[in-house]
Amino acid sequence: MAQANIAPVVNIPPFKGTDSENFEEFERQLASSIGVAGIPDNDRHLYLHLHLKGGALAYYDQLPEATRLNFDQAVASLRQRYLNPQRAELQRIVFNQRKFKPASETAHDFLTDLQRIARQSFPDVQGQEAANGRPEIVAEDRQLERTRRVREAFINGLPNKLKRFLLNQPDTMTVEDLCEKVARRHGVEQLYPEDDDKQHL
């Protein structure tokens, strides 16, 4: 495929189609980059091609030529392949079963991974109701819901001892603040595993 004079202007990571990636986030970044770069409509498919790698590029290359040459159709095909209810449902199962592994990860690692899986499980898909109404409000609502789910999953994924430690924490605390407390508490328990007198940090 001829690339003409198209070159990346905004440095966005290429989309490879792996389970750890969020296609919707890639699509937003791509649209923003196209706007900043001032890519003409008839060259947008070339810009898309430049930002695909691995399995996503292989999938794109096997699409019919007419689809590949039409940016909107190509993105729609990629969206159908990499952003669909079945994929999100599998990620929700992983999200709901994720537990903290004190022996092999930190509390911060656990939270970061939960947030990553949550973006796959509960994407900011702008459905028809958003397109016809107030998409910015719908996106905000989804973000708040995802944040609530991450906080709940973080607490539920902790060992019982750490859960009990968080019972008297205010409901208004963010999950990041809870994570900080858990990280410090877990550090104390590793240093003094037999010291049950340390009730507070």
Side-chain angles (χ1 to χ4, degrees):
M1 178 180 292
Q3 299 299 328
N5 294 321
I6 304 300
V9 174
V10 178
N11 187 22
I12 64 173
F15 183 77
K16 302 175 184 177
T18 64
D19 286 340
S20 62
E21 293 174 294
N22 184 331
F23 180 77
E24 189 199 28
E25 185 175 333
F26 166 73
E27 188 178 352
R28 281 197 303 266
Q29 291 177 341
L30 186 72
S32 177
S33 179
I34 286 173
V36 171
I39 303 297
D41 286 353
N42 59 346
D43 285 337
R44 289 183 301 161
H45 67 287
L46 298 174
Y47 202 71
L48 170 63
H49 183 265
L50 275 177
H51 290 87
L52 297 175
K53 300 288 183 187
L57 179 59
Y59 176 78
Y60 175 88
D61 284 340
Q62 60 82 39
L63 291 171
E65 183 178 10
T67 301
R68 295 197 310 271
L69 295 178
N70 185 306
F71 175 82
D72 292 330
Q73 289 182 17
V75 168
S77 295
L78 288 163
R79 190 186 300 118
Q80 183 176 10
R81 170 67 178 84
Y82 294 107
L83 187 63
N84 58 61
Q86 292 79 14
R87 185 182 177 93
E89 184 57 36
L90 288 174
Q91 289 299 311
R92 287 190 190 101
I93 293 172
V94 173
F95 179 78
N96 290 327
Q97 294 179 346
R98 183 70 164 88
K99 302 296 181 187
F100 179 43
K101 304 167 189 169
S104 59
E105 66 182 351
T106 67
H108 296 97
D109 292 336
F110 175 49
L111 175 58
T112 298
D113 197 43
L114 276 178
Q115 291 169 330
R116 176 189 65 79
I117 302 172
R119 287 192 293 271
Q120 297 288 331
S121 307
F122 313 103
D124 292 332
V125 181
Q126 291 190 3
Q128 193 62 38
E129 74 284 356
N132 293 336
R134 301 286 297 280
E136 68 280 2
I137 294 177
V138 173
E140 181 181 355
D141 288 346
R142 288 180 182 273
Q143 176 64 43
L144 290 172
E145 173 65 10
R146 189 163 60 219
T147 299
R148 183 191 67 76
R149 287 178 181 271
V150 167
R151 187 181 191 280
E152 185 178 88
F154 178 79
I155 295 173
N156 289 339
L158 296 173
N160 287 336
K161 192 172 183 181
L162 289 172
K163 278 184 194 172
R164 287 195 296 270
F165 169 67
L166 293 180
L167 284 178
N168 61 352
Q169 304 301 324
D171 291 340
T172 54
M173 287 189 69
T174 67
V175 68
E176 289 79 12
D177 289 338
L178 293 177
C179 181
E180 255 333 294
K181 285 187 170 288
V182 166
R184 292 199 302 262
R185 180 68 176 190
H186 182 54
V188 168
E189 290 179 349
Q190 286 182 314
L191 287 173
Y192 309 103
E194 303 302 323
D195 189 349
D196 293 329
D197 294 329
K198 292 186 175 293
Q199 301 298 320
H200 303 285
L201 298 178

